[in-house]
Amino acid sequence: MSAAMPLRPTAGATTHRLPSVLTLGLARTRIEVRQFFRERDAVVWIFAYPIIMLAIFATVFGQGDARVGATGTFAGIPFGQYFLPGMVATGVMLSSFQNLAITIAVERDDSTLKRLRGTPLPASAYFLGKIGSVLLTSLVQTALLLLVAATVFGIEMPSTAQRWITFAWVFALGTAAGAVCGVAFSSVPRTGRSASAVVTPVVLVLQFISGVFFGFTQLPGWMQDVSSVFPLKWMAQGMRSVFLPDQFQAHEVSGSWEHGTTALVIGAYLVLGLVLGARTFRWRRRDDG
Amino acid sequence: MSPTRHGADHGDGDAVVVEGLAKHYGDKKAVDGLDLTVHRGEVFAVLGPNGAGKTTTIEILEGYRERDAGSVRVLGVDPQTADRAWRSRIGIVLQNASDQAELTVGELVRHVGGFYPDPRDPDEVIDAVGLREKVRTRTRQLSGGQRRRLDVALGIVGRPELLFLDEPTTGFDPEARRAFWDLIRGLRDDGTTILLTTHYLEEAENLADRCAVVRDGRVVALDAPAALGGRSARQAVVRWTEDDVTRQVSTDTPTAVVAEVAARFATGEVPGLQVLRPTLEDVYLSLIGEASTTPGADPDAAPTRVGPAGSTTEARR
């Protein structure tokens, strides 16, 4: 501190306005995104995981140009296309739920939250920053996945506006629900260090029981019932309605895409996550009084 | 005391007024009827052993914790119901933070400054804490002392009227500590009120206009560092050797005692003459109820312990 310089004295009292919530929300978004991309291991995990899984499944099951769901005149679809909806749903869950559940637990542990709480930053701006960064990273990640799917695996993208509208609302609702549930779940790990050990298995188990890797109807009945309570199953189903031809409705349990139920269940998690998150959110560690 | 710049728009009065503050965790009373007042523009130090309730008290004043009883006004506002405007008027330096490790020093100071209505220039703040050459370094790569200086920068970038520092110089080398003291004095001269807790008595002595000694959640003494503990604790000890015996006496008038003793020696030189004043550490240790074993340089000359009754009586005769 030998290089310390004296501070310039403060000028006379003048009135200044507090920065607006929106300005601060944008500033938080910028800083959150910057921090996200500097955590290289997390970036690789969240961005590459769905792409790697898609590559593995499409390659292993798609050997010899095998196709799924061929019946009568319908030639079926390549395995890559069959797995894509599950990977899109998984990606959204990783970049919203898993990302926030872990980073907020770490931020609580390392006093980031405590520091922010001691400044005039409003809580709403903090959460705006989280939403902004999750939205951005989800978009980038999904775009990457679709790009690789279309160019490397030659998977056909939906061609109707109707399907892209479905994609938009399932994506937005799923990201929002995943984000608020992530905020709520961040209070579960006891320390920042244990956060990924607590959160990752939850995400993995949900992926397996929600028909992300296998056809949902191939799962045992009880597993279907269990996963129907969780939003990932509905996210995956919503994405199947975007990326699979309508013939595949026959492979759904109810024989249809069930857009209404999908919106209802994911919407319910959005509300549940908001209520739980707002009630349980702590700015300080548990052992900090 | 120099007039404070905020006096005009936020009214005068004291920066912090605490009366009968109490806070318990389970059965443990962390704070138990604590009173203190911090005047505007002063540097106020809270001294006390670990577990005395310093951090709990500070965190109640900062608005982090809720009290169980008592009244608290910080800049005229109850921290429990404080809003953003109030938070923009205080600055907080956390005790041990390692947050936002992926951001650089420059990014973090600039970002946090953006939360405030009238922040200091981030570059100026970085210069003031001596982190200019680390401005592009990610905070995870900072040493312990550099990290603490960054915490100080984050505490002052919002141009606070009242700055809370919870053990700010832990982990500083002596040179960094001196530079930090200069920084704090500069802030005080600029009209900032400073409330700090510290383990270092030297720090309180060098910085504080007044200090409070806290023990078992209560203030046991409150005064300027030089006056702390009252007159009796400040008594000098005069010690000398006479008839091959070490004699000593505690007195408010050491000069008179020395003159009296000197008169008894024909040569005018008193063998082994010492006049010992208690250090702040001696006073502090006696206040918090620890045996004072190392006053001054001589382990035997405890001012709180009076020497052998015989020698004292003899010297007084």
Side-chain angles (χ1 to χ4, degrees), chain B residues 235 237 248-250 300-309 311-313 316:
Chain B
Q235 278 193 328
V237 168
Q248 68 175 36
V249 60
S250 297
D300 296 324
T304 44
R305 271 190 246 128
V306 179
S311 69
T312 307
T313 325
R316 285 247 162 93

PDB file of all heavy atoms in Angstrom, chain B residues 235 237 248-250 300-309 311-313 316:
ATOM      1  N   GLN B 235      -2.633   5.465  36.498  1.00  0.00           N
ATOM      2  CA  GLN B 235      -1.583   5.795  37.475  1.00  0.00           C
ATOM      3  C   GLN B 235      -0.215   5.320  37.005  1.00  0.00           C
ATOM      4  O   GLN B 235      -0.089   4.232  36.437  1.00  0.00           O
ATOM      5  CB  GLN B 235      -1.902   5.133  38.810  1.00  0.00           C
ATOM      6  CG  GLN B 235      -2.906   5.938  39.626  1.00  0.00           C
ATOM      7  CD  GLN B 235      -2.966   5.440  41.048  1.00  0.00           C
ATOM      8  OE1 GLN B 235      -2.787   4.265  41.311  1.00  0.00           O
ATOM      9  NE2 GLN B 235      -3.207   6.355  41.968  1.00  0.00           N
ATOM     10  N   VAL B 237       3.707   4.179  37.716  1.00  0.00           N
ATOM     11  CA  VAL B 237       4.418   3.429  38.738  1.00  0.00           C
ATOM     12  C   VAL B 237       5.870   3.939  38.759  1.00  0.00           C
ATOM     13  O   VAL B 237       6.508   4.021  37.715  1.00  0.00           O
ATOM     14  CB  VAL B 237       4.391   1.921  38.437  1.00  0.00           C
ATOM     15  CG1 VAL B 237       5.376   1.176  39.341  1.00  0.00           C
ATOM     16  CG2 VAL B 237       2.987   1.378  38.611  1.00  0.00           C
ATOM     17  N   GLN B 248       8.530  -0.030  44.730  1.00  0.00           N
ATOM     18  CA  GLN B 248       7.720   0.676  43.738  1.00  0.00           C
ATOM     19  C   GLN B 248       6.480   1.251  44.362  1.00  0.00           C
ATOM     20  O   GLN B 248       6.003   0.794  45.399  1.00  0.00           O
ATOM     21  CB  GLN B 248       7.364  -0.233  42.564  1.00  0.00           C
ATOM     22  CG  GLN B 248       6.404  -1.360  42.900  1.00  0.00           C
ATOM     23  CD  GLN B 248       6.035  -2.121  41.646  1.00  0.00           C
ATOM     24  OE1 GLN B 248       6.869  -2.297  40.761  1.00  0.00           O
ATOM     25  NE2 GLN B 248       4.794  -2.562  41.554  1.00  0.00           N
ATOM     26  N   VAL B 249       5.937   2.278  43.694  1.00  0.00           N
ATOM     27  CA  VAL B 249       4.730   2.912  44.209  1.00  0.00           C
ATOM     28  C   VAL B 249       3.886   3.381  43.030  1.00  0.00           C
ATOM     29  O   VAL B 249       4.406   3.858  42.027  1.00  0.00           O
ATOM     30  CB  VAL B 249       5.094   4.083  45.153  1.00  0.00           C
ATOM     31  CG1 VAL B 249       5.904   5.139  44.428  1.00  0.00           C
ATOM     32  CG2 VAL B 249       3.827   4.692  45.749  1.00  0.00           C
ATOM     33  N   SER B 250       2.577   3.190  43.165  1.00  0.00           N
ATOM     34  CA  SER B 250       1.651   3.705  42.162  1.00  0.00           C
ATOM     35  C   SER B 250       1.225   5.091  42.591  1.00  0.00           C
ATOM     36  O   SER B 250       0.882   5.296  43.752  1.00  0.00           O
ATOM     37  CB  SER B 250       0.412   2.815  42.064  1.00  0.00           C
ATOM     38  OG  SER B 250       0.787   1.541  41.639  1.00  0.00           O
ATOM     39  N   ASP B 300       7.553  -7.354  35.857  1.00  0.00           N
ATOM     40  CA  ASP B 300       7.252  -7.294  37.294  1.00  0.00           C
ATOM     41  C   ASP B 300       6.553  -6.014  37.706  1.00  0.00           C
ATOM     42  O   ASP B 300       6.142  -5.866  38.841  1.00  0.00           O
ATOM     43  CB  ASP B 300       8.548  -7.419  38.103  1.00  0.00           C
ATOM     44  CG  ASP B 300       9.185  -8.777  37.879  1.00  0.00           C
ATOM     45  OD1 ASP B 300       8.410  -9.752  37.735  1.00  0.00           O
ATOM     46  OD2 ASP B 300      10.423  -8.847  37.817  1.00  0.00           O
ATOM     47  N   ALA B 301       6.441  -5.090  36.799  1.00  0.00           N
ATOM     48  CA  ALA B 301       5.994  -3.767  37.207  1.00  0.00           C
ATOM     49  C   ALA B 301       4.516  -3.509  36.911  1.00  0.00           C
ATOM     50  O   ALA B 301       4.159  -2.469  36.410  1.00  0.00           O
ATOM     51  CB  ALA B 301       6.848  -2.697  36.532  1.00  0.00           C
ATOM     52  N   ALA B 302       3.686  -4.496  37.195  1.00  0.00           N
ATOM     53  CA  ALA B 302       2.271  -4.348  36.894  1.00  0.00           C
ATOM     54  C   ALA B 302       1.674  -3.178  37.648  1.00  0.00           C
ATOM     55  O   ALA B 302       1.686  -3.164  38.866  1.00  0.00           O
ATOM     56  CB  ALA B 302       1.533  -5.622  37.282  1.00  0.00           C
ATOM     57  N   PRO B 303       1.179  -2.159  36.943  1.00  0.00           N
ATOM     58  CA  PRO B 303       0.645  -0.996  37.626  1.00  0.00           C
ATOM     59  C   PRO B 303      -0.631  -1.321  38.389  1.00  0.00           C
ATOM     60  O   PRO B 303      -0.985  -0.641  39.331  1.00  0.00           O
ATOM     61  CB  PRO B 303       0.348  -0.001  36.500  1.00  0.00           C
ATOM     62  CG  PRO B 303       0.668  -0.671  35.227  1.00  0.00           C
ATOM     63  CD  PRO B 303       1.055  -2.070  35.501  1.00  0.00           C
ATOM     64  N   THR B 304      -1.353  -2.367  37.931  1.00  0.00           N
ATOM     65  CA  THR B 304      -2.579  -2.701  38.631  1.00  0.00           C
ATOM     66  C   THR B 304      -2.284  -3.432  39.923  1.00  0.00           C
ATOM     67  O   THR B 304      -3.093  -3.487  40.821  1.00  0.00           O
ATOM     68  CB  THR B 304      -3.466  -3.584  37.741  1.00  0.00           C
ATOM     69  OG1 THR B 304      -2.641  -4.565  37.129  1.00  0.00           O
ATOM     70  CG2 THR B 304      -4.134  -2.761  36.678  1.00  0.00           C
ATOM     71  N   ARG B 305      -1.096  -4.021  39.982  1.00  0.00           N
ATOM     72  CA  ARG B 305      -0.679  -4.668  41.220  1.00  0.00           C
ATOM     73  C   ARG B 305       0.244  -3.700  41.943  1.00  0.00           C
ATOM     74  O   ARG B 305       1.228  -3.228  41.387  1.00  0.00           O
ATOM     75  CB  ARG B 305       0.106  -5.936  40.918  1.00  0.00           C
ATOM     76  CG  ARG B 305      -0.731  -7.168  40.785  1.00  0.00           C
ATOM     77  CD  ARG B 305       0.185  -8.373  40.747  1.00  0.00           C
ATOM     78  NE  ARG B 305       0.111  -9.001  39.440  1.00  0.00           N
ATOM     79  CZ  ARG B 305       1.174  -9.287  38.710  1.00  0.00           C
ATOM     80  NH1 ARG B 305       2.386  -8.983  39.136  1.00  0.00           N
ATOM     81  NH2 ARG B 305       1.043  -9.868  37.547  1.00  0.00           N
ATOM     82  N   VAL B 306      -0.057  -3.422  43.139  1.00  0.00           N
ATOM     83  CA  VAL B 306       0.829  -2.545  43.888  1.00  0.00           C
ATOM     84  C   VAL B 306       1.936  -3.405  44.474  1.00  0.00           C
ATOM     85  O   VAL B 306       1.728  -4.579  44.771  1.00  0.00           O
ATOM     86  CB  VAL B 306       0.030  -1.821  44.992  1.00  0.00           C
ATOM     87  CG1 VAL B 306       0.939  -0.905  45.800  1.00  0.00           C
ATOM     88  CG2 VAL B 306      -1.104  -1.038  44.354  1.00  0.00           C
ATOM     89  N   GLY B 307       3.105  -2.855  44.574  1.00  0.00           N
ATOM     90  CA  GLY B 307       4.257  -3.612  45.051  1.00  0.00           C
ATOM     91  C   GLY B 307       4.084  -4.038  46.503  1.00  0.00           C
ATOM     92  O   GLY B 307       3.043  -3.821  47.102  1.00  0.00           O
ATOM     93  N   PRO B 308       5.134  -4.634  47.068  1.00  0.00           N
ATOM     94  CA  PRO B 308       5.056  -5.079  48.467  1.00  0.00           C
ATOM     95  C   PRO B 308       4.607  -3.929  49.373  1.00  0.00           C
ATOM     96  O   PRO B 308       5.084  -2.804  49.234  1.00  0.00           O
ATOM     97  CB  PRO B 308       6.495  -5.486  48.786  1.00  0.00           C
ATOM     98  CG  PRO B 308       7.134  -5.736  47.463  1.00  0.00           C
ATOM     99  CD  PRO B 308       6.422  -4.910  46.465  1.00  0.00           C
ATOM    100  N   ALA B 309       3.667  -4.228  50.236  1.00  0.00           N
ATOM    101  CA  ALA B 309       3.057  -3.186  51.057  1.00  0.00           C
ATOM    102  C   ALA B 309       4.119  -2.382  51.801  1.00  0.00           C
ATOM    103  O   ALA B 309       4.081  -1.165  51.868  1.00  0.00           O
ATOM    104  CB  ALA B 309       2.074  -3.811  52.035  1.00  0.00           C
ATOM    105  N   SER B 311       7.267  -1.684  51.075  1.00  0.00           N
ATOM    106  CA  SER B 311       8.045  -0.720  50.310  1.00  0.00           C
ATOM    107  C   SER B 311       7.199   0.493  49.955  1.00  0.00           C
ATOM    108  O   SER B 311       7.685   1.613  49.932  1.00  0.00           O
ATOM    109  CB  SER B 311       8.596  -1.381  49.042  1.00  0.00           C
ATOM    110  OG  SER B 311       7.541  -1.659  48.154  1.00  0.00           O
ATOM    111  N   THR B 312       5.909   0.247  49.675  1.00  0.00           N
ATOM    112  CA  THR B 312       5.032   1.350  49.318  1.00  0.00           C
ATOM    113  C   THR B 312       4.903   2.310  50.496  1.00  0.00           C
ATOM    114  O   THR B 312       5.073   3.521  50.353  1.00  0.00           O
ATOM    115  CB  THR B 312       3.632   0.819  48.939  1.00  0.00           C
ATOM    116  OG1 THR B 312       3.803  -0.176  47.953  1.00  0.00           O
ATOM    117  CG2 THR B 312       2.758   1.936  48.426  1.00  0.00           C
ATOM    118  N   THR B 313       4.672   1.715  51.643  1.00  0.00           N
ATOM    119  CA  THR B 313       4.499   2.525  52.839  1.00  0.00           C
ATOM    120  C   THR B 313       5.768   3.323  53.118  1.00  0.00           C
ATOM    121  O   THR B 313       5.735   4.526  53.378  1.00  0.00           O
ATOM    122  CB  THR B 313       4.202   1.621  54.067  1.00  0.00           C
ATOM    123  OG1 THR B 313       3.431   0.522  53.617  1.00  0.00           O
ATOM    124  CG2 THR B 313       3.454   2.381  55.118  1.00  0.00           C
ATOM    125  N   ARG B 316       6.236   6.248  50.910  1.00  0.00           N
ATOM    126  CA  ARG B 316       5.297   7.334  51.162  1.00  0.00           C
ATOM    127  C   ARG B 316       5.715   8.134  52.403  1.00  0.00           C
ATOM    128  O   ARG B 316       5.306   9.266  52.593  1.00  0.00           O
ATOM    129  CB  ARG B 316       3.885   6.741  51.416  1.00  0.00           C
ATOM    130  CG  ARG B 316       3.241   6.270  50.117  1.00  0.00           C
ATOM    131  CD  ARG B 316       2.042   7.126  49.764  1.00  0.00           C
ATOM    132  NE  ARG B 316       1.706   6.962  48.367  1.00  0.00           N
ATOM    133  CZ  ARG B 316       0.823   6.085  47.920  1.00  0.00           C
ATOM    134  NH1 ARG B 316       0.196   5.286  48.778  1.00  0.00           N
ATOM    135  NH2 ARG B 316       0.570   6.012  46.645  1.00  0.00           N
TER     136      ARG B 316
END
